[in-house]
C-alpha cells in the first residue's frame, strides 16, 4: 500500500514494501502487508490501531529489534540492518539502572560510546534541564515518581542525539493528570530538539495532540492503512473546535461514535 511521500533531509525514514507475518497455532497471521511510507525529517508521526494491528511490530522493525519478512527500511537513503546509533527507543517503562543517579542514567549511553565522564555530565546536565529535572541530578530511580522516571528515560534517549526517536506507549502507565503534563512536555521537547519522532499509542487524543500525521493500521486482513494529516496550530488546545472535530473524526473511523 503506497502512502504519500516527502523529500527531506536528516532523519528521513523510508519504508518500502514492508511485510511481516507471524505464526499462530500453526497458521500464518499477517500483521503488516506491503507497507510503503516516508516519514519526513523532523516530523512527529503517531501510529494507532486496534490491538494486533502491528503498531509495536512496526516500531520494533524501525528500531532494528525485529526483522521484516520482506521489504526495506531506509534512513536518509541508507538501508538499515539491526539497531543503530541514529535511532533511540523509549519504552512504556523507563528501564532505568537502579544503582545509578539521574544524571548517570542519562549519561550511560554516552559513556558506553566512549564519551568521557566529564563530557557526559556536561551533556547530561543539558537534558536534565530540558526535561525539567534540575535539582534531582543525584536522586536514584527509587526516589522518583513515575512521571519523573519517564522524564529520565526521555532525557537518556535524547542525550545520544539520535536523528529518530521511537516511542512505544511511553505514557501508558501514568495517571491521567501526569499523562497530560507529560504530553505537553513531549510536545515542547520535540519542538526544541527538532528530532524525527514516531509514537505508538492507543490514545487517540494523545495522537492528535502530538502528531503532524497519524498512521492508522488496519486490524482486518487485507485492510488498507490510512494516513491522516493533523493540520492544527501548535501549541494545541484540546478544547478548541478543530481539535474536538478531529477527535470526533478519528473516533468515527474506529466506529466509536
Amino acid at each position: 500500500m503506497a502512502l504519500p511521500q516527502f523529500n527531506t533531509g536528516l532523519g528521513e525514514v523510508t519504508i518500502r514494501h514492508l511485510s511481516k507475518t507471524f505464526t499462530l497455532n500453526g497458521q500464518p497471521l499477517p500483521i503488516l502487508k506491503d507497507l510503503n511510507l516516508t516519514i519526513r525529517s523532523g516530523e512527529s508521526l503517531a501510529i494507532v490501531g486496534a490491538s494486533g494491528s502491528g503498531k509495536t511490530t512496526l516500531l520494533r522493525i524501525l528500531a532494528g529489534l525485529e526483522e521484516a519478512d520482506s521489504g526495506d527500511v531506509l534512513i536518509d537513503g541508507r538501508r538499515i540492518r539491526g539497531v543503530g546509533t541514529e535511532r533511540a527507543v523509549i519504552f512504556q517503562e523507563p528501564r532505568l539502572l537502579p544503582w545509578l543517579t539521574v544524571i548517570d542514567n542519562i549519561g550511560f549511553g554516552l559513556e558506553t560510546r566512549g564519551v568521557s565522564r566529564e563530557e557526559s555530565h556536561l551533556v547530561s546536565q543539558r537534558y536534565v534541564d530540558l526535561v525539567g529535572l534540575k535539582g534531582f541530578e543525584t536522586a536514584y530511580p527509587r526516589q522518583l515518581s513515575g512521571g519523573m522516571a519517564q522524564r529520565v528515560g526521555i532525557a537518556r534517549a535524547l542525550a545520544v542525539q539520535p536523528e529518530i526517536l521511537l516511542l512505544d506507549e511511553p505514557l501508558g502507565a501514568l495517571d491521567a493528570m501526569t499523562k497530560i503534563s507529560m504530553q505537553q512536555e513531549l510536545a515542547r521537547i520535540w519542538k526544541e530538539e527538532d528530532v524525527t519522532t514516531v509514537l505508538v499509542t492507543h490514545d487517540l487524543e494523545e495522537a492528535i495532540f502530538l502528531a503532524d500525521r497519524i498512521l492508522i493500521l488496519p486490524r482486518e486482513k487485507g485492510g488498507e492503512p490510512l494516513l491522516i494529516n493533523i493540520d492544527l496550530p501548535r501549541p494545541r488546545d484540546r478544547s478548541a473546535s478543530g481539535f474536538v472535530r478531529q477527535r470526533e473524526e478519528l473516533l468515527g473511523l474506529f466506529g466509536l461514535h
Side-chain angles (χ1 to χ4, degrees):
M1 169 64 183
L3 296 173
Q5 309 294 299
F6 297 84
N7 292 317
T8 54
L10 289 178
E12 179 186 82
V13 180
T14 305
I15 300 168
R16 300 193 306 202
H17 303 294
L18 197 72
S19 295
K20 179 69 176 180
T21 297
F22 291 106
T23 301
L24 180 65
N25 297 326
Q27 299 296 317
L29 180 65
I31 299 297
L32 301 169
K33 184 178 180 182
D34 195 32
L35 180 65
N36 294 276
L37 172 67
T38 295
I39 306 167
R40 58 183 180 263
S41 176
E43 176 178 17
S44 178
L45 176 79
I47 304 173
V48 302
S51 295
S53 62
K55 301 183 300 297
T56 295
T57 298
L58 177 56
L59 196 82
R60 287 179 60 83
I61 291 172
L62 295 179
L65 300 172
E66 188 100 39
E67 287 191 14
D69 296 332
S70 60
D72 294 303
V73 175
L74 294 85
I75 294 177
D76 301 328
R78 303 185 305 273
R79 185 176 293 105
I80 64 167
R81 289 289 183 267
V83 298
T85 57
E86 74 283 351
R87 287 157 285 157
V89 186
I90 299 173
F91 298 99
Q92 184 170 343
E93 298 295 332
R95 303 184 184 184
L96 304 182
L97 300 174
W99 60 89
L100 294 182
T101 63
V102 164
I103 199 162
D104 287 333
N105 262 288
I106 293 171
F108 181 78
L110 291 168
E111 293 190 35
T112 60
R113 298 183 187 189
V115 176
S116 70
R117 185 172 179 80
E118 182 180 7
E119 185 178 352
S120 169
H121 270 226
L122 286 174
V123 174
S124 297
Q125 186 63 55
R126 178 193 171 222
Y127 288 98
V128 165
D129 297 344
L130 180 71
V131 299
L133 287 176
K134 187 175 179 62
F136 290 89
E137 291 88 343
T138 60
Y140 287 89
R142 66 180 180 275
Q143 299 171 307
L144 304 176
S145 67
M148 293 170 72
Q150 195 60 288
R151 287 172 188 254
V152 177
I154 292 168
R156 180 180 57 190
L158 290 171
V160 297
Q161 298 182 319
E163 295 177 21
I164 299 154
L165 191 62
L166 305 167
L167 304 101
D168 188 8
E169 290 279 354
L171 310 181
L174 302 179
D175 65 83
M177 293 303 296
T178 303
K179 187 175 185 179
I180 289 173
S181 174
M182 286 298 298
Q183 288 168 355
Q184 294 170 337
E185 286 298 292
L186 278 177
R188 177 184 62 81
I189 290 167
W190 168 78
K191 182 179 180 180
E192 290 188 23
E193 292 294 290
D194 192 30
V195 61
T196 305
T197 301
V198 182
L199 166 74
V200 164
T201 180
H202 283 91
D203 186 333
L204 297 181
E205 186 169 291
E206 179 173 275
I208 298 167
F209 189 79
L210 293 172
D212 296 313
R213 294 187 295 167
I214 298 176
L215 175 65
I216 303 175
L217 295 179
R219 174 67 183 273
E220 300 78 13
K221 186 184 297 185
E224 298 288 351
L226 295 175
L227 194 60
I228 309 296
N229 287 310
I230 307 299
D231 188 19
L232 297 173
R234 295 179 183 271
R236 289 179 178 161
D237 180 355
R238 300 167 200 267
S239 63
S241 59
F243 193 103
V244 173
R245 184 168 56 252
Q246 187 71 75
R247 183 177 59 209
E248 291 300 306
E249 288 176 4
L250 274 181
L251 288 171
L253 289 173
F254 283 89
L256 298 176
H257 274 312

